[in-house]
Amino acid sequence: MSDLLKKAQLVKDTTTSLATKTTEEKNEALRLLSEALREQKSFIMTENQKDIEKGRANGLHESLIDRLILNEQRIEGMADALIQLTDLSDPIGDIIESWDRPNGLEIQKVRVPIGVVGMIYEARPNVTIDAASLCLKTGNAVLLRGSSSAIHSNTALVQVIHDALKESSLPNDAVQLVEDTSRQTASEMFQLTEHLDVLIPRGGKKLIDTVVSQASVPVLETGAGNCHVFIDESAKKDMAIDVAINAKTQRPSVCNSAETILVQQNWAEKHLSELVEKLQAAKVEVHGDSFTVNQGENVIEATEADYETEYLDMTVAIKVVETVQDAIDHINHYGTKHSESIVTETDQHVIQFMNEVDAAAVYHNASTRFTDGFEFGFGAEIGISTQKLHARGPMGLEAITSTKYLLYGEGQIK
Amino acid sequence: MSDLLKKAQLVKDTTTSLATKTTEEKNEALRLLSEALREQKSFIMTENQKDIEKGRANGLHESLIDRLILNEQRIEGMADALIQLTDLSDPIGDIIESWDRPNGLEIQKVRVPIGVVGMIYEARPNVTIDAASLCLKTGNAVLLRGSSSAIHSNTALVQVIHDALKESSLPNDAVQLVEDTSRQTASEMFQLTEHLDVLIPRGGKKLIDTVVSQASVPVLETGAGNCHVFIDESAKKDMAIDVAINAKTQRPSVCNSAETILVQQNWAEKHLSELVEKLQAAKVEVHGDSFTVNQGENVIEATEADYETEYLDMTVAIKVVETVQDAIDHINHYGTKHSESIVTETDQHVIQFMNEVDAAAVYHNASTRFTDGFEFGFGAEIGISTQKLHARGPMGLEAITSTKYLLYGEGQIK
């Protein structure tokens, strides 16, 4: 039996036991893990150093090296996050609904763990702790498959997890790392429908697309964000400019940052030159349609490709539109159903935009940058779903749970 | 552009319009469709006759011919079901949760259509009306792909749907039938992630397995049911026998019927011979372990394969176990996570069984036959999900909806 299958079976065998653990037992395991991380800091850093050296030897870009690094501060951060996680309420066991049927059957819909989560992720080794802890908090087992570039770090972290689980009442095998990081093994993992209840890919678009297109196991897709801010005719000038600049520049590398700003013609005639000037002052490279090109120096003429691109850096596309309907049509055509915002003082346009834009999060008079689990108040985040099944938008703990019906009778037959 | 792609685009283009239709507009379309079915009965039956003749010429088994038939009574039944559907409450637009954040953002989680449903189904042409009507009720567009054996019937029914939609305020293109029923086209449909939000296969295990293993579009899996009844030591004799016989025989061909009966040793010593006798009197072929073989005439010795088999007919496997834990272990090993029942008077065993059995519906003192949308009181059923993502167990209208976050601000930036 391959290492993959052996470990998949090990984690699967822990699900019944995990599902029945109390909140306090799960929190105790998280506290033990937090302590173990602090205690074994130097071991983790020594192992991490091997990945960093290998990365440098392989000519890995410094920005990727930076993602790999586990220093004291980052390990402390991981340990702190575990303690915060113990404060969150445990969704498992919640009775979501209950009702009686005319034949006397009592039906309860209760929240249960999803079972086994398969996590496939790229360089950042902190995902190992992040994923394992969110899964344990919700009574799930997890099969981890990180990248080869972080294999020493991930192996060390899973060893620390096992040390902590041994002290706890949770089953030791609930967290397993697939040590073979070949593509072949990843492809085999995509097909383990008998062992895995869900696959969660975390990483770049290519990784996610590969998992979505190849996996037979259901996938929780955390996708790209080609997000828009639409500035309507009645938008307040300063608010519109602040929202647009914040959505673009506050952290351009993340999926909820804006990529295209749509501007209503009449507003554009009055204020677009100021918006362009302020974007450029904030060091944003502005691409624009023919109208926008004339609103400032150094505006690059936008092409179709601009509207399709998730820049993820300090570049923005600007397009002038006639109506709110034009803005909605543009967004529903080019957008990735992530986060979309309208700035307007016109109630009718708010209703139309909120109803007709097809996205996980639709904003009125606010920056798109609020689409994340912490800003929504969930206290944790598995990722931001851009699909419509199971979970949409920021995913908190509930996203890695399922439900089950319990039916209580007195001998009812059909 | 292929017929498939053209139609996929047509249905997709109706989603924004569909999502904003009122409950009354959607119900009016269902009433018009109900009328149109009654008015065009003879046209439908004439077209259906072509499929039946082709089926007979191709040597199709009479049981499959029966599934194909659309006679007056069945068409009236479909028309009646549409009127019943208008009485169900419309989940679209429901505000599921709403809360305020410390920064003043108001967040609402609202229920929205899923978008485009891809339905892939086998012989029964009534699925055409069933799927189309459930989708329209929930503001979804639908791309239908039936089997070649029902192509004349399905084409006629979709023509009737279009005649009805023309009279309604719903977009005519919201329902489309893929007329090319080749495997190649089905495989292409599995990959239409840009057009389809979910695929729902309805048919045999082979069809479902093919869709699950090949599709990139997320799948709502409605799967097999290897269901069990466990008769515990303290089970009341008559109740246990009634539940077991009902779960096995009331409609053996459906997924929620029982396939294996597990019997606690002490109960078995007292009452198993009576259970075997009554099962055989009900014309059930009994396979059993070595203990069971000695409880009656004509009990066939069960093999491992028996416990893995979803017979779907008048055959049952019986196995004697020592404890409730043995029963749970057997079920979690051999079961398909569908419907499982314990008959017992021991509270502690109820709790253990309900908590530890991993299935969509777990019963105490009732037949497994109640796992369906109508018995649960949903008023409609899309299918019974055996996966853990999105929907688990009987799926009502909500299973073909998604959610969306609406965020109302006053210029909030991060």
Side-chain angles (χ1 to χ4, degrees):
Chain A
M1 197 185 282
S2 69
D3 178 62
L4 171 69
L5 264 184
K6 204 185 89 191
K7 287 186 170 158
Q9 190 61 50
L10 281 176
V11 293
K12 191 186 172 188
D13 288 343
T14 67
T15 51
T16 309
S17 159
L18 269 178
T20 55
K21 294 300 173 190
T22 65
T23 302
E24 185 41 37
E25 287 174 303
K26 294 182 281 189
N27 284 342
E28 176 64 11
L30 297 176
R31 278 190 291 267
L32 288 164
L33 176 54
S34 178
E35 277 169 35
L37 281 175
R38 293 191 221 268
E39 279 164 15
Q40 301 194 48
K41 227 181 282 176
S42 61
F43 163 64
I44 295 166
M45 289 190 291
T46 306
E47 293 301 304
N48 179 245
Q49 195 55 38
K50 295 179 188 168
D51 288 329
I52 293 169
E53 280 163 19
K54 195 181 65 182
R56 290 228 165 87
N58 291 341
L60 214 60
H61 193 281
E62 273 304 312
S63 68
L64 292 177
I65 295 283
D66 180 64
R67 292 183 176 202
L68 258 181
I69 292 173
L70 292 176
N71 53 28
E72 272 209 52
Q73 191 194 355
R74 288 188 182 173
I75 296 170
E76 285 290 337
M78 283 152 59
D80 289 345
L82 287 165
I83 300 301
Q84 285 160 27
L85 190 54
T86 63
D87 288 336
L88 290 187
S89 80
D90 177 2
I92 302 304
D94 285 353
I95 298 174
I96 301 161
E97 291 175 85
S98 71
W99 66 99
D100 295 324
R101 295 294 300 152
N103 63 5
L105 268 183
E106 184 198 338
I107 306 184
Q108 289 182 348
K109 185 177 188 177
V110 300
R111 199 165 286 289
V112 296
I114 213 158
V116 182
V117 175
M119 183 73 62
I120 299 192
Y121 52 106
E122 287 174 338
R124 294 178 195 268
N126 61 307
V127 174
T128 304
I129 297 295
D130 198 23
S133 60
L134 294 169
C135 286
L136 293 176
K137 175 81 188 191
T138 45
N140 289 294
V142 61
L143 185 63
L144 300 162
R145 197 277 190 186
S147 69
S148 60
S149 62
I151 188 69
H152 291 100
S153 313
N154 290 337
T155 306
L157 290 170
V158 171
Q159 194 174 313
V160 175
I161 292 170
H162 285 161
D163 289 347
L165 288 179
K166 261 178 222 129
E167 305 292 313
S168 80
S169 64
L170 268 52
N172 203 42
D173 289 328
V175 180
Q176 293 290 341
L177 178 72
V178 179
E179 280 164 27
D180 174 355
T181 56
S182 66
R183 269 165 204 242
Q184 170 66 21
T185 301
S187 296
E188 285 170 24
M189 187 170 162
F190 300 164
Q191 310 308 325
L192 291 182
T193 49
E194 293 293 313
H195 298 80
L196 307 180
D197 294 291
V198 63
L199 277 176
I200 307 180
R202 278 179 62 168
K205 183 170 159 49
K206 204 177 144 195
L207 172 75
I208 292 166
D209 286 349
T210 303
V211 177
V212 168
S213 67
Q214 294 185 11
S216 304
V217 178
V219 179
L220 270 188
E221 185 177 353
T222 57
N226 187 8
C227 306
H228 303 74
V229 172
F230 168 54
I231 302 176
D232 194 17
E233 179 170 9
S234 62
K236 291 180 181 168
K237 186 197 73 175
D238 290 344
M239 186 196 287
I241 291 174
D242 287 350
V243 166
I245 289 183
N246 182 267
K248 177 68 255 179
T249 67
Q250 199 260 339
R251 198 170 167 202
S253 65
V254 294
C255 57
N256 61 19
S257 63
E259 307 296 358
T260 293
I261 299 168
L262 300 167
V263 186
Q264 197 280 332
Q265 180 77 47
N266 298 335
W267 193 95
E269 281 167 16
K270 281 182 269 179
H271 310 300
L272 183 53
S273 60
E274 185 177 336
L275 174 62
V276 168
E277 188 188 321
K278 290 195 166 159
L279 279 163
Q280 290 177 333
K283 302 205 188 316
V284 177
E285 180 176 295
V286 178
H287 296 207
D289 62 1
S290 53
F291 186 92
T292 309
V293 165
N294 295 320
Q295 303 304 306
E297 302 283 308
N298 302 319
V299 176
I300 296 164
E301 178 121 20
T303 66
E304 180 75 4
D306 281 286
Y307 304 126
E308 292 166 349
T309 302
E310 191 185 0
Y311 300 115
L312 294 174
D313 67 16
M314 293 291 267
T315 307
V316 76
I318 295 180
K319 186 179 176 184
V320 175
V321 296
E322 284 290 330
T323 64
V324 63
Q325 188 63 55
D326 294 340
I328 292 167
D329 291 344
H330 180 100
I331 291 168
N332 285 343
H333 181 78
Y334 293 100
T336 53
K337 304 183 180 178
H338 194 295
S339 300
E340 306 293 347
S341 181
I342 182 173
V343 185
T344 187
E345 298 300 315
T346 311
D347 289 348
Q348 189 50 43
H349 291 183
V350 180
I351 295 169
Q352 191 181 349
F353 192 88
M354 304 304 257
N355 281 343
E356 296 189 15
V357 166
D358 185 17
V362 189
Y363 292 81
H364 172 226
N365 288 352
S367 168
T368 55
R369 288 282 293 112
F370 292 104
T371 307
D372 82 46
F374 298 96
E375 291 293 343
F376 272 51
F378 297 161
E381 184 186 281
I382 318 292
I384 298 169
S385 164
T386 52
Q387 67 181 30
K388 290 186 179 175
L389 281 198
H390 187 69
R392 193 178 193 198
M395 297 186 286
L397 293 175
E398 264 187 27
I400 45 174
T401 69
S402 182
T403 59
K404 171 173 166 176
Y405 290 105
L406 304 181
L407 297 99
Y408 296 92
E410 295 151 322
Q412 279 83 348
I413 60 173
K414 191 169 169 179
Chain B
M1 196 184 283
S2 68
D3 177 62
L4 172 70
L5 263 183
K6 204 185 89 190
K7 287 186 170 158
Q9 190 61 49
L10 281 176
V11 292
K12 191 186 172 189
D13 287 344
T14 66
T15 52
T16 310
S17 159
L18 269 179
T20 56
K21 295 300 173 191
T22 63
T23 302
E24 186 40 39
E25 287 175 303
K26 293 182 280 189
N27 283 342
E28 176 63 10
L30 297 177
R31 278 190 290 267
L32 288 164
L33 177 53
S34 178
E35 278 169 35
L37 281 175
R38 293 190 220 267
E39 279 164 16
Q40 300 194 48
K41 228 180 283 176
S42 61
F43 163 65
I44 294 166
M45 289 190 291
T46 306
E47 293 301 303
N48 178 245
Q49 195 55 38
K50 296 178 188 169
D51 288 328
I52 294 169
E53 280 164 20
K54 196 181 63 183
R56 290 229 165 87
N58 291 339
L60 214 60
H61 193 282
E62 273 306 311
S63 69
L64 292 176
I65 295 283
D66 179 63
R67 290 183 177 202
L68 259 180
I69 291 173
L70 292 177
N71 52 27
E72 270 210 54
Q73 191 195 354
R74 287 188 181 173
I75 296 171
E76 285 289 336
M78 285 154 58
D80 289 345
L82 288 164
I83 299 303
Q84 285 160 25
L85 190 54
T86 63
D87 287 336
L88 289 188
S89 80
D90 178 2
I92 302 304
D94 285 354
I95 299 174
I96 301 161
E97 292 176 85
S98 71
W99 67 98
D100 294 324
R101 294 294 300 152
N103 63 5
L105 269 182
E106 184 198 339
I107 306 185
Q108 289 183 347
K109 184 177 188 178
V110 299
R111 198 165 288 287
V112 297
I114 214 159
V116 182
V117 174
M119 183 73 61
I120 299 191
Y121 52 107
E122 288 175 338
R124 293 178 195 267
N126 61 307
V127 174
T128 304
I129 296 296
D130 196 24
S133 60
L134 294 169
C135 286
L136 293 175
K137 174 81 188 190
T138 45
N140 289 294
V142 60
L143 185 62
L144 300 163
R145 196 275 193 189
S147 69
S148 61
S149 62
I151 188 70
H152 291 99
S153 313
N154 289 337
T155 306
L157 289 170
V158 170
Q159 194 175 313
V160 174
I161 292 171
H162 285 162
D163 288 346
L165 287 178
K166 261 179 220 128
E167 306 292 312
S168 81
S169 63
L170 268 50
N172 203 43
D173 289 329
V175 179
Q176 294 289 341
L177 177 73
V178 180
E179 280 163 28
D180 174 355
T181 55
S182 67
R183 268 164 205 242
Q184 171 66 23
T185 300
S187 296
E188 286 170 25
M189 186 169 163
F190 300 164
Q191 310 309 326
L192 291 183
T193 49
E194 293 293 312
H195 298 80
L196 306 181
D197 295 290
V198 63
L199 277 176
I200 306 180
R202 278 180 63 169
K205 182 167 160 48
K206 204 177 145 194
L207 172 75
I208 292 166
D209 286 350
T210 303
V211 177
V212 168
S213 68
Q214 294 185 11
S216 303
V217 177
V219 178
L220 271 188
E221 186 177 352
T222 56
N226 188 6
C227 306
H228 303 73
V229 172
F230 168 53
I231 301 176
D232 194 16
E233 180 170 8
S234 62
K236 291 182 181 166
K237 186 196 74 174
D238 290 344
M239 186 195 288
I241 291 175
D242 286 350
V243 165
I245 288 184
N246 183 265
K248 177 67 256 178
T249 66
Q250 199 259 339
R251 197 171 167 201
S253 64
V254 295
C255 57
N256 61 18
S257 63
E259 308 295 359
T260 294
I261 299 169
L262 300 167
V263 185
Q264 198 279 332
Q265 180 78 47
N266 298 336
W267 194 94
E269 282 167 14
K270 279 181 271 179
H271 310 300
L272 183 52
S273 59
E274 184 176 339
L275 174 62
V276 168
E277 188 189 322
K278 289 197 168 160
L279 280 162
Q280 290 177 331
K283 303 205 188 316
V284 177
E285 179 176 298
V286 178
H287 297 207
D289 61 2
S290 53
F291 187 92
T292 308
V293 164
N294 296 320
Q295 302 305 307
E297 301 284 307
N298 302 318
V299 176
I300 296 163
E301 178 120 21
T303 65
E304 180 75 4
D306 282 287
Y307 304 127
E308 291 167 350
T309 302
E310 192 185 0
Y311 300 114
L312 294 174
D313 67 16
M314 293 289 269
T315 307
V316 76
I318 295 181
K319 187 181 178 185
V320 174
V321 296
E322 283 291 329
T323 65
V324 63
Q325 187 63 57
D326 294 340
I328 293 168
D329 291 345
H330 180 99
I331 290 169
N332 285 342
H333 181 77
Y334 292 100
T336 53
K337 304 182 180 179
H338 194 297
S339 301
E340 305 294 348
S341 180
I342 182 174
V343 184
T344 188
E345 298 300 314
T346 311
D347 289 349
Q348 190 50 45
H349 290 183
V350 180
I351 295 169
Q352 191 181 349
F353 191 88
M354 303 304 257
N355 282 342
E356 296 189 16
V357 166
D358 185 17
V362 189
Y363 292 82
H364 171 226
N365 288 354
S367 167
T368 55
R369 287 281 295 112
F370 292 106
T371 307
D372 84 45
F374 298 95
E375 290 294 341
F376 273 51
F378 297 162
E381 184 186 282
I382 318 292
I384 297 169
S385 164
T386 51
Q387 66 181 32
K388 291 187 179 175
L389 282 197
H390 188 69
R392 193 178 194 199
M395 297 188 285
L397 293 176
E398 265 187 29
I400 45 173
T401 68
S402 182
T403 58
K404 172 173 167 177
Y405 289 106
L406 304 181
L407 296 98
Y408 297 92
E410 294 151 322
Q412 278 85 345
I413 60 174
K414 191 168 171 181

